[in-house]
Amino acid sequence: MDDDGTRGVRGSSADRVPGPALPPPPTTPPRVPASAVGPRPAAMPVEQRPARPGSAPPPEQPVPGAPVDAWLRTPRPPQEPGVWRYGYTPPPPEEPEGVSNRSLLVGALISLLSALLLWSLWRNGYLPYRLVPLKLFTPGEWWNPGTSGGPRTIEGSDALTVYEAILFGLLAYGCGRIGNFSELFRRHVADRGQPFLALAAAAAAGLAQLLVWKEALPVVRPVLVLVASVAGGEIYQSQTVVNVIYALIAAAVLYPFARLGRWRELIAARRGTAAPAPDGTAAAPAAATSADQWPEVRTAGWTDAADTLTAEVRTGRMNDVDVARLRHAWALATRRPDRLAPLAEAVLRTGGAAVLHPSGHRDLPRRGARHDVLTGQVRIGRCADDPHNPYVRRGTGLALEPALLGTSLLAVGPPGAGKTARLIRPVVEALALRALAGQAAVLAVGGAGAPLGPDDAFDVVVRLGHPGSAHDIDLYGGTTDPDEAAAVLAEGLVGDVGSLDSRRAATVLAQLLGPYRAAHGHFPSVPELRELLDGTPAALAGLRASLEAAGHHAMLRELDARSRQAGGPGDPAPALADRVALLDRPAFTGFFATGPDARPFSLRALGQHPLRVRVDLPERGHAEASRLLTRLLLAQFTAITAARTDTTLFACLVLDDATHAVTAETVRGIRRLRSVNAGAVLALRTVDDVPETLHTPLLGAVGCTAAFSGITTWDGKRFAEAWGKEWVETREVAQHTVFADQPFTRALHALRKLVTGKAVTTDAVTVRQVERERWSASELAYAVPAGHAVIRLATVEGEHAPPLLVHLDG
């Protein structure tokens, strides 16, 4: 990798940016066993919903020593923005809103008591005309005269027995439907799972058997009558036949309870041969695919390379980063066929270690979040089970990826809300993994000591103001154009000063940077720039003499123009000099060097190499200088990424604290990032850290926003306005007192009021569609629990998700 602008060491023993790792000597490609290329068992997908108590959660990423082929073959179905796709399983259909437990129990009890009363009235003959339907379909000589006459013959008694059994079955069925016993059973018995379900069904089966054989339930006698009518009464002369009939009755009574209690599944599970759930709720295994056999490589005709990679995956000599890196390298090589052969040869020589990252690293020292390197996702939390969240998103994992970060992300929350630990660091970690796979470049900027990751997780670590820092920062962004350098530097120096026009400031800087570079071949250092802006006679005279000696007449005119404008009304040079003086401090001595021996790190390298860069700012002792440098880095990043021609790499800037770093020009630059495969992640303590005139433009420029718990109602109002409104259905219930006219009705109402303590009322329900804010300012300020955030996501393609309440566990 070209190292221009990527390293600038301080001292002969300082560390340098590692160069490309040399491949090991050629070796014979590993043999692929026959079983390695044949069909393999499919990997089980990862359930994305809360597991049942007592069950171990399945892994959501390959752990050290785990088979990478199973991870590789796990399905990742396309989903809405932000859904953690690794092993995603859709939720069951949403159930309609049911009745309350109290109403369900009361309804079941009333239905049961009514059925018992009706059956008692039937058995005791208090219901008139109860035998009329039976007499209509049976011979008249079986019955005594009259509508209430009972059976006269044995045949009539048998017919009445069967008739009562049929009526009892209909009564039991109607009682169950009216009392909603099925919902009662599902909610209070089936949902508790095994073994409670099996035990409850066994208890109910024992009670049913007792009632059946005590003839409290009309089952045994009707069955005996039907068997005798079909096979003849002589069949009961055999005791064996009677025993068989009794056994069949007992089995028939037991069978429904066995089905309800799922005894077969419980027994199979105890024996270790679990059968699939009859309702289809068991998680289906991941579809067996050939992803671990590198079909894209085989399709291109490089079977030997595909076999080598397959063996590397199956034997555990490759990790998830290797898979993502080689897949990306192959995708790039297919665009230029001349690169296919060298890539295939490198794979045959080194296997999974081919086309390594320039640092030679194949993974991060340690991971603190859950990643799916194949899709570039990092899981930061789980959507809460909250009415604000759509049903299909409740309980699903929430993940960030380059397609979302490409629209830029703004996170707002007070100190201690978890912005750095639960959002910023997982994002930096994911981008670092992406960089090791050759697909991204990341610049993480934070205060000294900010937990953005260990030093060995980055290629370049810049500690501004620290004597032991091995690298430096180029104030001019690595450009050689004075106008471009002046524009970016002016934005960083005075972009936050509303009374100054950054274009005039850029003109002043260009009038000094252009002549200086023409005379010396490089831009001025911080002390020299300060002297020029202060208008020091010796500095200006020396520069003029150098230009005259070199014959740069055009640059002399620029310097003359600066001399004429100096000291005039509205001259921005004094303000620029004051800001440059913040960097001309003893703590920064030796930093920001621009001489021929200086090799500072330039952000321009981010657009060319998959670098992992971290900049530590001295926020404690030099807060204003840190804000200036943050603003300068943001301006440089937006300008450099917008000007690059090769947008293959995803470039991302992560600011752990963007206080006073956002300006009008950088907001316009952030809006352009999504079109050049780049993004920015900005963290703020409050939106008021941005000038008030930029509140609306900033929220409109970023596609992803996150409001952490503890924000103020003023910040909540801005988020509520940015997220818009939605149509919801509201129900308004008005209660009107019922006035009775009849004496009997008044007496009933008086009795009801005496029992319940409330007057008899009737409800008037009004249902209408209204437009309401998705999240109100008060809800964002007071209804977001600690450790949660409301996150709204959008992709560079224009897809978006509604604001979701997320429990952050990143």
Side-chain angles (χ1 to χ4, degrees), residues 607-655:
Q608 305 169 3
H609 311 291
L611 288 174
R612 302 166 295 164
V613 184
R614 193 189 77 205
V615 178
D616 294 343
L617 300 176
E619 289 184 345
R620 294 182 179 178
H622 304 274
E624 192 63 29
S626 297
R627 293 173 182 175
L628 186 153
L629 292 171
T630 302
R631 191 163 53 249
L632 178 61
L633 291 174
L634 178 57
Q636 287 185 1
F637 180 81
T638 55
I640 290 172
T641 53
R644 62 176 181 161
T645 56
D646 185 7
T647 59
T648 304
L649 284 176
F650 175 74
C652 188
L653 169 67
V654 181
L655 298 182

Side-chain angles (χ1 to χ4, degrees), residues 204-591:
L207 179 62
Q209 292 283 2
L210 178 63
L211 295 177
V212 165
W213 297 111
K214 289 293 184 179
E215 295 191 0
L217 301 180
V219 176
V220 178
R221 288 177 56 85
V223 171
L224 296 177
V225 169
L226 290 176
V227 171
S229 63
V230 174
E234 295 80 3
I235 193 174
Y236 293 121
Q237 296 178 359
S238 173
Q239 186 62 36
T240 302
V241 173
V242 174
N243 293 337
V244 169
I245 294 175
Y246 284 166
L248 292 177
I249 294 175
V253 174
L254 197 63
Y255 178 74
F257 296 98
R259 289 291 302 273
L260 290 175
R262 300 177 184 176
W263 295 350
R264 181 180 178 184
E265 297 176 22
L266 181 61
I267 295 174
R270 296 295 183 184
R271 293 180 178 177
T273 57
D279 56 357
T281 57
T289 65
S290 58
D292 60 331
Q293 299 184 17
W294 302 83
E296 64 276 11
V297 181
R298 298 183 186 276
T299 304
W302 301 93
T303 307
D304 294 342
D307 291 342
T308 301
L309 294 175
T310 301
E312 292 276 297
V313 170
R314 299 286 174 83
T315 56
R317 293 194 294 268
M318 288 179 64
N319 60 13
D320 52 350
V321 178
D322 295 330
V323 173
R325 186 186 68 253
L326 289 172
R327 280 196 165 196
H328 177 68
W330 193 266
L332 293 180
T334 53
R335 302 175 187 175
R336 299 183 61 179
D338 58 313
R339 296 184 178 181
L340 287 176
L343 177 58
E345 293 175 1
V347 169
L348 291 174
R349 289 197 313 269
T350 61
V355 292
L356 278 179
H357 185 264
S359 65
H361 297 161
R362 299 173 66 174
D363 201 353
L364 296 179
R366 55 184 176 271
R367 303 186 187 184
R370 283 170 281 189
H371 301 271
D372 184 19
V373 187
L374 203 61
T375 59
Q377 287 190 318
V378 53
R379 188 182 182 279
I380 63 171
R382 184 183 298 275
C383 296
D385 187 6
D386 187 85
H388 286 92
N389 293 343
Y391 171 77
V392 295
R393 299 301 299 268
R394 298 174 189 172
T396 61
L398 189 82
L400 296 176
E401 57 183 305
L404 299 172
L405 298 177
T407 64
S408 298
L409 186 148
L410 176 66
V412 179
K419 299 188 300 297
T420 300
R422 302 185 180 186
L423 180 65
I424 300 299
R425 175 161 181 171
V427 169
V428 173
E429 198 173 86
L431 293 172
L433 289 172
R434 199 80 171 165
L436 290 177
Q439 304 176 46
V442 56
L443 172 62
V445 181
L452 299 180
D455 292 351
D456 48 0
F458 296 91
D459 303 313
V460 177
V461 177
V462 181
R463 296 184 177 91
L464 293 174
H466 192 284
S469 177
H471 301 278
D472 200 351
I473 284 292
D474 187 356
L475 289 180
Y476 305 99
T479 182
T480 58
D481 184 0
D483 294 327
E484 181 181 349
V488 175
L489 186 58
E491 196 65 33
L493 292 176
V494 296
D496 61 328
V497 181
S499 59
L500 286 180
D501 186 358
S502 60
R503 290 174 295 182
R504 289 195 61 188
T507 302
V508 171
L509 288 172
Q511 290 172 344
L512 296 174
L513 297 181
Y516 191 94
R517 179 171 180 79
H520 300 283
H522 57 82
F523 291 120
S525 62
V526 170
E528 294 168 336
L529 180 59
R530 180 183 179 183
E531 291 179 352
L532 293 174
L533 289 172
D534 282 334
T536 305
L540 293 176
L543 179 58
R544 182 181 299 276
S546 300
L547 292 175
E548 290 175 350
H552 295 292
H553 301 289
M555 293 303 171
L556 281 172
R557 289 194 297 269
E558 287 287 311
L559 192 59
D560 292 338
R562 172 84 288 268
S563 300
R564 290 192 304 268
Q565 297 171 5
D571 182 18
L576 290 170
D578 292 341
R579 289 301 178 89
V580 173
L582 295 174
L583 305 179
D584 190 17
R585 305 298 299 166
F588 300 118
T589 301
F591 284 86

Side-chain angles (χ1 to χ4, degrees), residues 671-695:
R671 189 179 290 111
R672 292 191 297 265
L673 290 179
R674 67 179 65 191
S675 62
V676 293
N677 195 24
V681 179
L682 311 177
L684 294 172
R685 295 182 178 91
T686 173
V687 182
D688 290 331
D689 289 340
V690 177
E692 186 176 359
T693 57
L694 298 179
H695 290 173

Side-chain angles (χ1 to χ4, degrees), residues 708-741:
F708 283 72
S709 61
I711 65 172
T712 63
T713 53
W714 292 274
D715 288 343
K717 179 180 179 181
R718 297 181 182 97
F719 279 107
E721 292 175 352
W723 291 339
K725 301 180 180 181
E726 63 179 345
W727 289 98
V728 296
E729 183 180 276
T730 61
R731 296 170 58 91
E732 296 180 357
V733 180
Q735 293 184 340
H736 303 284
T737 304
V738 178
F739 297 96
D741 297 330

